[in-house]
Amino acid sequence: MNIAVIGLGTMGLPMALNLLQAGYSVTVHNRTRQREAAACDRGAIAADSPQTAAQGAAVIITCVSDSPDVEAVILGDKGIIQGAEPGSVVVDMSTISPEVTRHLAHQLHSRNIAMLDAPVSGGSEGAQKGTLSIMVGGDGAVLERVRPVLSVLGSTITHVGAIGSGQLTKAINQIIVAGTYWAVAEGLALGLKAGLDMDQVVQAVGGGAAGSWGLSHRSGHMIANDYPLGFRLRLHRKDLNIALAAARELGVVLPVSAYVEQMETGLIQQGYGDEDVSALARSIRQQSGL
Amino acid sequence: MNIAVIGLGTMGLPMALNLLQAGYSVTVHNRTRQREAAACDRGAIAADSPQTAAQGAAVIITCVSDSPDVEAVILGDKGIIQGAEPGSVVVDMSTISPEVTRHLAHQLHSRNIAMLDAPVSGGSEGAQKGTLSIMVGGDGAVLERVRPVLSVLGSTITHVGAIGSGQLTKAINQIIVAGTYWAVAEGLALGLKAGLDMDQVVQAVGGGAAGSWGLSHRSGHMIANDYPLGFRLRLHRKDLNIALAAARELGVVLPVSAYVEQMETGLIQQGYGDEDVSALARSIRQQSGL
């Protein structure tokens, strides 16, 4: 089976390599063409456009930065829609707007090309190890056709609903990350200012109702005031804005997410956008003289 | 060894019973005297005041509602300070103000009575099973003297610092609970309004950076919009106000905790104060027409 992978960034490149490793024929395209070399060295075929990459592919995976990028590679000049064959499936693994996703799926559907939205969590480490969590929206029968391919990329594949639902689920993930990390940062700030033994504090509260992945895995960063990646704060803000736009559209109020988005804007302004999301703690530390 | 237990509420009564079960001589006192009967049936001796209960006790445990109650049983008319012997230890297991705690410890110290603050988490179930998490502030050597007693009541005993530090740690716990539960409620509201398969959504996001005790154990309440106890929302608000007062004193800003406290006030006003804290989700549901 031929698979196209369009977008060879931190996530797309290791995904392409895992597909090659699993024995698939893989055609790749990246806007900055030099990034294709790492995949071609391992047997991928380079294509000079998304259109060319999509020709003859049963599954076309896109993994780019944001809604306009996905729109460009699917609908733009020399886009996927001009090369993909009827009956093929576009699987967009970028994190983008659910509304844009539905629009793209509609356009592809008119050419008998199916689409799934399949954003991921698990970071670059998950992409490399093939252990991503993949949140899939779209037709269940289409998912079953591409499940063997997705199984190479992720260890958890969850079908959450119709087209766009994968993106909404990723938005939910980022909303919860925002508030949970912020909550941990508020709690830790009180203990830091009071001079408590913070390792003991984390141990004392981590086993009960205050426990979270953020507390277990990011409190160390917040206590040390040092925020190695992880997941970039500026990308988390991008995702939160997708969530806030979707919530506005649906009529859902997200006051804490909106607040955290503003604090992230302040941190990006100060040059902290390429730190891990847990750098949110800087905001409370600054305001509290810590 | 003689132990006094003052305050036989949801937490204090099972604690007294566990101490009797472990073979200690236990003297009990409760403001509403009838509640002493359940302990006396199992071998406890009733005392007509905190003063009387404290006489001859090596360890005096207090477990009452709020700062003024602890002040009253320790310093008030017929209070512990009038009955306790030099060399005895008062262990306050209530959740109260760290500042009031330090004041009480100072007063007791002038009579050669030691004090530890030792608030707990783990709820009534933890109190019954003797599996509470106990957060201890005060002198480490004093803690070692009473550790065998505390070990009957809890499975995790963490020494976090000087007197008042246990209360600060409990405050940190409640700050993190506030923000984490709220974050889960915001995320779920988006999915509910969009009509996603919420069980699948919880499964998809629960294993990664969005994971928390609140998501695992309280998302079901929030999805069903039904909030059985658990821990009462109005008691959580009381604890958040202790945290906010301590933060104000220390100069730490807690914007999300302050916001959640206000939303809890609104929910209490509407008659939801005796529901579980996860009823916070009602606030977002109401504002989002869910």
Side-chain angles (χ1 to χ4, degrees), chain A residues 1-3 5 13-26 39 42-44 61 127-130 146-154:
Chain A
M1 186 194 278
N2 294 322
I3 301 177
V5 177
L13 178 60
M15 286 160 61
L17 297 180
N18 283 335
L19 291 168
L20 287 162
Q21 178 91 13
Y24 289 104
S25 299
V26 179
R42 307 272 285 276
I61 292 171
Q128 283 157 26
K129 293 186 176 166
V146 304
R147 189 182 284 275
V149 175
L150 295 183
S151 299
V152 172
L153 307 176

Side-chain angles (χ1 to χ4, degrees), chain A residues 97-123:
Chain A
S97 151
E99 202 183 353
V100 170
T101 297
R102 284 189 293 269
H103 170 69
L104 295 171
H106 185 75
Q107 297 292 312
L108 289 166
H109 183 71
S110 68
R111 309 277 186 104
N112 278 315
I113 304 162
M115 180 173 171
L116 299 174
D117 56 315
V120 301
S121 68

Side-chain angles (χ1 to χ4, degrees), chain A residues 180 184 205-212 215, chain B residues 172-174 176-177 180-181 212-214:
Chain A
T180 305
V184 171
V205 306
S212 64
L215 180 63
Chain B
I172 291 167
N173 188 81
Q174 302 298 52
I176 298 178
V177 165
T180 304
Y181 279 35
S212 64
W213 190 96

Side-chain angles (χ1 to χ4, degrees), chain B:
Chain B
M1 186 194 277
N2 294 322
I3 301 177
V5 178
I6 294 161
L8 298 172
T10 314
M11 303 299 284
L13 178 60
M15 286 160 61
L17 297 180
N18 282 336
L19 290 167
L20 287 163
Q21 178 91 12
Y24 289 104
S25 299
V26 179
T27 306
V28 296
H29 175 76
N30 194 72
R31 189 168 49 188
T32 306
R33 299 289 314 274
Q34 299 95 295
R35 283 194 63 87
E36 294 163 6
C40 294
D41 288 350
R42 307 272 285 276
I45 298 158
D48 63 5
S49 70
Q51 176 182 4
T52 318
Q55 281 161 1
V59 178
I60 302 143
I61 292 172
T62 52
C63 193
V64 296
S65 294
D66 205 349
S67 305
D69 310 290
V70 179
E71 271 191 294
V73 299
I74 292 180
L75 302 183
D77 186 40
K78 298 190 179 173
I80 290 165
I81 200 165
Q82 289 155 59
E85 292 168 11
S88 64
V89 183
V90 173
V91 182
D92 179 35
M93 305 189 77
S94 322
T95 296
I96 69 164
S97 151
E99 202 182 352
V100 169
T101 297
R102 283 188 294 268
H103 170 68
L104 295 171
H106 184 75
Q107 297 294 313
L108 289 167
H109 183 73
S110 69
R111 308 278 185 104
N112 277 318
I113 305 161
M115 179 173 172
L116 300 174
D117 55 316
V120 301
S121 67
S124 56
E125 192 182 319
Q128 282 156 27
K129 294 184 175 167
T131 57
L132 294 166
S133 174
I134 309 177
M135 301 157 247
V136 185
D139 187 79
V142 174
L143 170 58
E144 291 319 309
R145 274 162 54 204
V146 304
R147 189 182 285 275
V149 175
L150 295 183
S151 299
V152 172
L153 308 176
S155 49
T156 310
I157 299 163
T158 317
H159 186 221
V160 284
I163 188 76
S165 302
Q167 297 296 351
L168 281 164
T169 302
K170 180 70 183 283
I172 291 167
N173 188 81
Q174 302 298 52
I175 289 166
I176 298 178
V177 165
T180 304
Y181 279 35
W182 187 271
V184 171
E186 283 198 3
L188 296 180
L190 185 65
L192 286 164
K193 196 82 186 262
L196 303 188
D197 180 333
M198 293 309 294
D199 291 338
Q200 292 297 96
V201 168
V202 169
Q203 189 185 310
V205 306
S212 64
W213 190 96
L215 181 62
S216 301
H217 294 86
R218 292 295 180 260
S219 56
H221 295 9
M222 295 183 186
I223 291 167
N225 205 23
D226 183 35
Y227 308 95
L229 295 174
F231 183 71
R232 287 178 207 280
L233 189 138
R234 64 178 169 78
L235 296 178
H236 185 256
R237 182 181 64 154
K238 184 213 91 180
D239 292 359
L240 264 191
N241 277 312
I242 290 169
L244 290 165
R248 198 174 298 119
E249 184 79 15
L250 286 161
V252 174
V253 297
L254 304 178
V256 167
S257 299
Y259 178 81
V260 171
E261 192 276 339
Q262 288 292 297
M263 296 300 103
E264 289 183 343
T265 295
L267 291 166
I268 291 165
Q269 181 60 29
Q270 294 173 73
Y272 299 123
D274 286 316
E275 293 188 340
D276 182 68
V277 189
S278 52
L280 277 171
R282 285 191 184 278
S283 183
I284 298 173
R285 280 178 158 268
Q286 288 171 350
Q287 294 175 72
S288 305
L290 272 165

Side-chain angles (χ1 to χ4, degrees), chain A residues 169-184:
Chain A
T169 303
K170 179 70 184 282
I172 291 167
N173 189 81
Q174 302 297 54
I175 288 166
I176 298 179
V177 165
T180 305
Y181 279 35
W182 188 272
V184 171

Side-chain angles (χ1 to χ4, degrees), chain A residues 39-266:
Chain A
C40 294
D41 289 352
R42 307 272 285 276
I45 297 158
D48 62 6
S49 70
Q51 177 182 2
T52 318
Q55 283 161 1
V59 178
I60 302 144
I61 292 171
T62 53
C63 194
V64 296
S65 295
D66 204 350
S67 304
D69 309 289
V70 179
E71 271 192 294
V73 300
I74 292 181
L75 302 183
D77 187 39
K78 298 189 179 173
I80 290 165
I81 200 166
Q82 289 154 59
E85 291 168 10
S88 64
V89 182
V90 172
V91 182
D92 179 33
M93 304 188 76
S94 322
T95 296
I96 69 164
S97 151
E99 202 183 353
V100 170
T101 297
R102 284 189 293 269
H103 170 69
L104 295 171
H106 185 75
Q107 297 292 312
L108 289 166
H109 183 71
S110 68
R111 309 277 186 104
N112 278 315
I113 304 162
M115 180 173 171
L116 299 174
D117 56 315
V120 301
S121 68
S124 55
E125 192 182 319
Q128 283 157 26
K129 293 186 176 166
T131 57
L132 294 166
S133 174
I134 310 178
M135 301 156 245
V136 186
D139 187 79
V142 174
L143 169 57
E144 290 320 307
R145 275 161 55 202
V146 304
R147 189 182 284 275
V149 175
L150 295 183
S151 299
V152 172
L153 307 176
S155 50
T156 310
I157 300 164
T158 317
H159 186 222
V160 283
I163 188 75
S165 302
Q167 296 297 350
L168 281 164
T169 303
K170 179 70 184 282
I172 291 167
N173 189 81
Q174 302 297 54
I175 288 166
I176 298 179
V177 165
T180 305
Y181 279 35
W182 188 272
V184 171
E186 283 198 3
L188 296 180
L190 186 65
L192 285 164
K193 197 82 187 263
L196 302 189
D197 180 334
M198 293 309 293
D199 290 338
Q200 292 296 97
V201 168
V202 170
Q203 189 186 307
V205 306
S212 64
W213 191 95
L215 180 63
S216 300
H217 293 85
R218 293 294 179 262
S219 57
H221 294 10
M222 295 181 186
I223 292 166
N225 205 24
D226 183 34
Y227 308 95
L229 296 175
F231 184 71
R232 287 177 207 279
L233 189 139
R234 65 178 169 78
L235 295 178
H236 185 258
R237 182 182 63 155
K238 184 213 91 180
D239 293 358
L240 264 191
N241 276 312
I242 291 169
L244 290 165
R248 199 173 298 119
E249 184 78 16
L250 286 161
V252 174
V253 297
L254 304 179
V256 168
S257 298
Y259 178 81
V260 171
E261 192 277 338
Q262 289 291 296
M263 295 300 103
E264 289 183 342
T265 295

